[in-house]
Amino acid sequence: MLTATAAVAGVLVFWGPEAEPEKPGSSTPGRRPVLAAEAASGFLSAFGNNDIGSSAGLTDNRAAAEPVLKALRNPAQDTRPEMVTLKAKTYPEPTPEQTELSVPFTARWLFGGGRVWEYEHALPLRKENGSWAVRWAPEVLHPKFAAGRTLSMTTTNADGELIGGDGKPVAGNDLSPQLLPAVRRALEGDLQGELSWSLVLKEPDGKVADTLAGRKGKAAVNAAITLLPQVQAAAQAAVNSQKTNPAMIVAIRSTGEILAIAQNPAADAKGLPALTGLYEPGSTFKVVTAAAVLQAGKADPGTVLPCPKEDVIKQRRVRNDDNFDLGEVPLSTAFAQSCNTTFARLAADLPTNTLPDSARQLGIGVDFDVMGITTNTGSVPTPSSGAAQVEASFGQGQVRTSPFGMALVAATVAAGGRRPNPVLVRGQKTTVEGAGSLLPGGVATQLRGLMRGVVTSGTAKALNGLGPVHGKTGTAQFGDGTQAHGWFTGFRNNIAFAVLIDGAGSSKPAVTMAAHFLKSHNA
């Protein structure tokens, strides 16, 4: 590593990210300059240049001076200066009879990062046998430099903290290791405070003798996030119960506050799929299809409709899960039992924009710019054929969404049709693009009834008894059709959530995980 120094008339400048190792003495032992100016400038230059031997040799007690000068110029690595400048202000001209002299000087120690210590002092000189030397005492460089004292630097950043929904600092114990760093990176500028530092002198026993310099930086403002610890902990415990397949839960209050984002280690290995992973939603998408059917006036919850075990609609063969056949039943029953054939037949002749528009009303396909996180609600392309529309009606084909997107669907229903704008950092506005129209309140009320029936008498009866839970299950085939994701989306009171287990095979494991989550918190 290259360094450079300059010493002129008692001025020394030392450059380099670290102090240069102490140099061996370069002056002849016992040799002393005749002139006072030579003694003063040589001492100041040698000390600043870390030439401890030469510096000590210009005193009247080299043996006593050398260890003290070495300790002061070469403190611990975190205290070691990057550059030292010692400059005599003037060189008084002594009279021939004069044997003592004081040379005023300025000192400037640079420690990097804007940390500077500056002061003025006077260097005492003594003449013996016609030669001048520095009259040694530890205080010759600074009046506080008593024997045995050492320099010590402490540095801190007054960074802000993430404050959770309970008003306490976020611990991170129940958070995905992918989530907290992502939030901190997004808020880095807001959370970064100014540097605070303090240069002190310590006694040999470690006690602080004096503070020499320092600066208290301006503290950053804490950022309050909406994650609610009891809900987050419940969600994390639930996903951790799945040891093999990626599992995730997102919980959102109907007013938009994101309360939990939980992933198990298998999901963490994929990043943050709870927020941005896109999956076939399967029958959870029937909430969207039901909203479209109700708004189109094609049926209401009491309308009796056929639910055969299979049907061919628009050249697409549609089967119910496990090939069940309900005969003719009300729409509410077809929804509760997740009858693919009923919903495919209802959606087959809807205008092609109906399902995409209905999805946007409930949040899927809407772009939310949420401060602190990156999200993707998914997409519902305009069907290119009748068969594509049939597949979309029960969440297959080209339809994709994320747990975040599906949690918004449930939150919109819980909010009475008012699609919430999701928020993670309080006080930060979420911008929205591609929102479309709002879901009519009357339709949201009908959807609430349909989703309650899923729990009381349908495919999620395992959740009955856990409070006023509303929801929809989903088994979503993917790949070659031999594998399936397991979904549950729903809400209890004003907390909506979505559960996804990647490759679970059916919705049953997702319902079990939802039960674990609901039993573990009372928010």
Side-chain angles (χ1 to χ4, degrees):
M1 176 179 65
L2 296 178
T3 58
T5 59
V8 180
V11 181
L12 171 104
V13 182
F14 172 80
W15 294 269
E18 300 178 353
E20 186 178 341
E22 178 199 351
K23 297 180 180 180
S26 58
S27 60
T28 304
R31 178 177 177 242
R32 293 177 178 172
V34 174
L35 300 177
E38 291 175 331
S41 65
F43 177 85
L44 295 173
S45 297
F47 177 79
N49 195 31
N50 206 19
D51 186 353
I52 302 303
S54 294
S55 184
L58 291 166
T59 71
D60 61 2
N61 191 341
R62 175 172 183 155
E66 192 159 2
V68 176
L69 293 172
K70 181 178 181 180
L72 291 172
R73 187 60 182 81
N74 295 280
Q77 189 66 38
D78 57 358
T79 304
R80 195 164 296 172
E82 292 183 356
M83 183 172 74
V84 175
T85 303
L86 304 176
K87 180 180 181 180
K89 296 177 67 175
T90 183
Y91 291 103
E93 185 67 32
T95 65
E97 299 81 15
Q98 197 170 355
T99 58
E100 292 190 352
L101 191 65
S102 181
V103 177
F105 69 93
T106 60
R108 193 169 194 262
W109 300 54
L110 300 183
F111 296 91
R115 296 170 296 168
V116 181
W117 176 36
E118 295 179 308
Y119 61 91
E120 294 187 1
H121 193 35
L123 190 67
L125 302 180
R126 172 184 294 165
K127 184 171 73 172
E128 292 182 357
N129 301 321
S131 290
W132 288 91
V134 174
R135 189 178 68 199
W136 173 248
E139 295 85 355
V140 297
L141 284 171
H142 189 278
K144 302 291 186 180
F145 281 0
R149 290 181 173 179
T150 55
L151 291 169
S152 179
M153 175 76 74
T154 58
T155 303
T156 58
N157 278 73
D159 291 344
E161 292 187 287
L162 289 177
I163 305 299
D166 59 349
K168 299 177 181 179
V170 175
N173 299 337
D174 294 312
L175 294 176
S176 161
Q178 297 281 353
L179 178 61
L180 203 53
V183 175
R184 289 191 182 278
R185 282 194 300 271
L187 297 175
E188 184 177 5
D190 297 322
L191 292 176
Q192 189 170 5
E194 295 179 347
L195 181 72
S196 294
W197 62 277
S198 178
L199 180 66
V200 302
L201 273 173
K202 287 188 175 181
E203 301 287 7
D205 62 2
K207 292 182 179 178
V208 174
D210 205 344
T211 298
L212 303 174
R215 179 179 183 273
K216 185 173 179 60
K218 183 179 178 182
V221 178
N222 293 334
I225 61 176
T226 58
L227 296 179
L228 194 59
Q230 62 168 305
V231 179
Q232 178 67 42
Q236 194 62 49
V239 297
N240 286 345
S241 67
Q242 171 56 246
K243 305 301 183 183
T244 55
N245 297 66
M248 52 213 89
I249 294 177
V250 175
I252 302 175
R253 204 182 291 280
S254 60
T255 48
E257 295 95 338
I258 300 172
L259 304 181
I261 304 168
Q263 299 184 161
N264 69 354
D268 287 335
K270 296 185 174 187
L272 282 170
L275 299 176
T276 60
L278 297 182
Y279 304 84
E280 296 84 348
S283 290
T284 56
F285 194 75
K286 287 174 184 165
V287 177
V288 173
T289 304
V293 168
L294 292 169
Q295 290 179 84
K298 291 183 69 68
D300 60 39
T303 301
V304 176
L305 300 161
C307 176
K309 67 179 181 179
E310 67 176 67
D311 200 352
V312 177
I313 308 168
K314 302 290 184 179
Q315 291 81 50
R316 173 67 158 85
R317 184 173 294 277
V318 180
R319 292 186 177 88
N320 291 331
D321 194 25
D322 293 331
N323 292 317
F324 66 82
D325 187 333
L326 300 181
E328 293 195 350
V329 294
L331 177 65
S332 59
T333 300
F335 187 88
Q337 299 300 328
S338 203
C339 185
N340 292 339
T341 53
T342 302
F343 280 85
R345 180 63 67 181
L346 283 169
D349 295 321
L350 290 172
T352 56
N353 65 305
T354 306
L355 291 180
D357 289 349
S358 179
R360 281 192 293 274
Q361 288 178 321
L362 289 154
I364 298 176
V366 180
D367 184 11
F368 297 96
D369 186 1
V370 184
M371 171 60 77
I373 53 175
T374 299
T375 64
N376 191 337
T377 60
S379 64
V380 183
T382 300
S384 58
S385 65
Q389 180 146 313
V390 167
E391 291 174 343
S393 69
F394 48 93
Q396 297 287 169
Q398 299 301 309
V399 176
R400 298 289 186 275
T401 190
S402 63
F404 173 77
M406 195 50 70
L408 277 172
V409 169
T412 302
V413 178
R418 299 181 306 277
R419 182 184 53 241
N421 286 344
V423 173
L424 180 65
V425 181
R426 295 190 186 280
Q428 297 290 337
K429 185 178 180 180
T430 296
T431 59
V432 185
E433 292 184 8
S437 62
L438 294 179
L439 185 72
V443 173
T445 300
Q446 290 177 308
L447 290 174
R448 289 174 68 97
L450 293 175
M451 294 173 73
R452 181 60 180 154
V454 172
V455 176
T456 58
S457 60
T459 54
K461 284 189 293 186
L463 304 180
N464 203 14
L466 298 179
V469 182
H470 303 66
K472 184 69 190 78
T473 57
T475 299
Q477 293 179 336
F478 67 95
D480 62 2
T482 61
Q483 303 178 81
H485 304 307
W487 283 91
F488 181 82
T489 187
F491 60 92
R492 182 174 66 183
N493 299 321
N494 70 342
I495 297 180
F497 61 97
V499 179
L500 170 63
I501 304 177
D502 187 341
S506 76
S507 63
K508 292 178 182 178
V511 172
T512 300
M513 187 170 288
H516 189 160
F517 169 62
L518 292 168
K519 290 175 182 177
S520 300
H521 76 90
N522 57 9

